[in-house]
Amino acid sequence: MTDVSIRPFSWGDVPAITAIYRHYVVNSTATFDLEAPGETFMADKFGHMLDLGHPVYVAERDGDLLGYAYASIYRPRPAYRFTCEDTVYCAPDALGQGIGTALLETVIDRSRTFGFKQMIGVITAESEGSVRLHAKLGFREVGRYEAVGFKFDRWLDIVHMQKAL
C-alpha cells in the first residue's frame, strides 16, 4: 500500500466517488439506497460535510481514486453533536489492499481532532469485511437490529459498532 496516498476530499473527486457508491447501490447490500444518486446529490452531501468541518478523505494511486471515507452527523439533534457515524467505501478492485483500514484510521484521527467523542458504524450484518475492519480498529458491537432493511427481495439486519474517541 506504499504507493497509495490518503488526502482530503476535493471537488474533482465527486465523479469517482459517485461511481464507487453507484457500484455498491446496484450490486450490494452495503447501502440501503435502492437507486444510485447522481453527482449533484453527492456534491451537495460532501459540500455539507465540508461546511461543517467534518473529516472527508480519499485514497488514490497514480491519480486514480480507490476509496473514500468520512465521519459526519450521527443524528441531527444537538445532544448528539459529539457523536459521529463513519462511512468507508473502496473501489471493488481496491478491496483487500489495506485501503479501507488506512482511510478509517485517518478519519478516526481527524474525528478526534474535530472534537467528536464517539464514533458509530452502522453496518449491514452480512458485510463481514466491514464488521471485521471496524473490530480491527477497536470498535465493539453494541447492537443489532433484525430485518430493518429490505433490498434484493430479502430482509437485512444491521449491526451497530461503537468506538470511544
Side-chain angles (χ1 to χ4, degrees):
M1 212 198 73
T2 57
D3 56 343
V4 173
S5 64
I6 306 295
R7 63 164 176 78
F9 163 85
S10 69
W11 292 110
D13 299 328
V14 170
I17 287 171
T18 303
I20 289 170
Y21 190 66
R22 180 180 302 116
H23 167 81
Y24 288 96
V25 171
V26 172
N27 298 296
S28 81
T29 58
T31 172
F32 283 4
D33 274 332
L34 301 178
E35 300 211 6
E39 290 180 16
T40 301
F41 177 87
M42 295 299 274
D44 288 347
K45 176 179 180 165
F46 279 69
H48 180 68
M49 289 185 285
L50 289 181
D51 288 347
L52 295 171
H54 293 170
V56 184
Y57 285 83
V58 300
E60 68 179 358
R61 177 189 300 128
D62 300 326
D64 293 325
L65 196 129
L66 304 175
Y68 66 93
Y70 58 82
S72 195
I73 297 169
Y74 171 66
R75 296 287 184 262
R77 292 183 181 92
Y80 289 112
R81 69 190 175 279
F82 297 109
T83 302
C84 62
E85 180 178 338
D86 74 272
T87 295
V88 181
Y89 284 100
C90 291
D93 59 349
L95 295 172
Q97 300 176 31
I99 295 166
T101 300
L103 281 165
L104 188 51
E105 286 174 335
T106 300
V107 167
I108 288 168
D109 181 58
R110 299 308 189 275
S111 293
R112 283 187 188 109
T113 302
F114 177 79
F116 287 129
K117 303 299 182 197
Q118 298 289 330
M119 184 175 282
I120 307 292
V122 180
I123 306 165
T124 308
E126 67 184 38
S127 296
E128 295 171 2
S130 186
V131 171
R132 280 193 309 273
L133 168 63
H134 283 77
K136 177 172 79 171
L137 295 181
F139 287 74
R140 62 187 178 85
E141 185 173 327
V142 294
R144 178 180 289 258
Y145 296 108
E146 297 176 350
V148 294
F150 188 77
K151 186 173 182 180
F152 300 142
D153 296 322
R154 67 184 195 273
W155 289 101
L156 301 162
D157 299 351
I158 58 167
V159 173
H160 277 219
M161 298 185 78
Q162 182 174 350
K163 178 180 179 69
L165 301 175

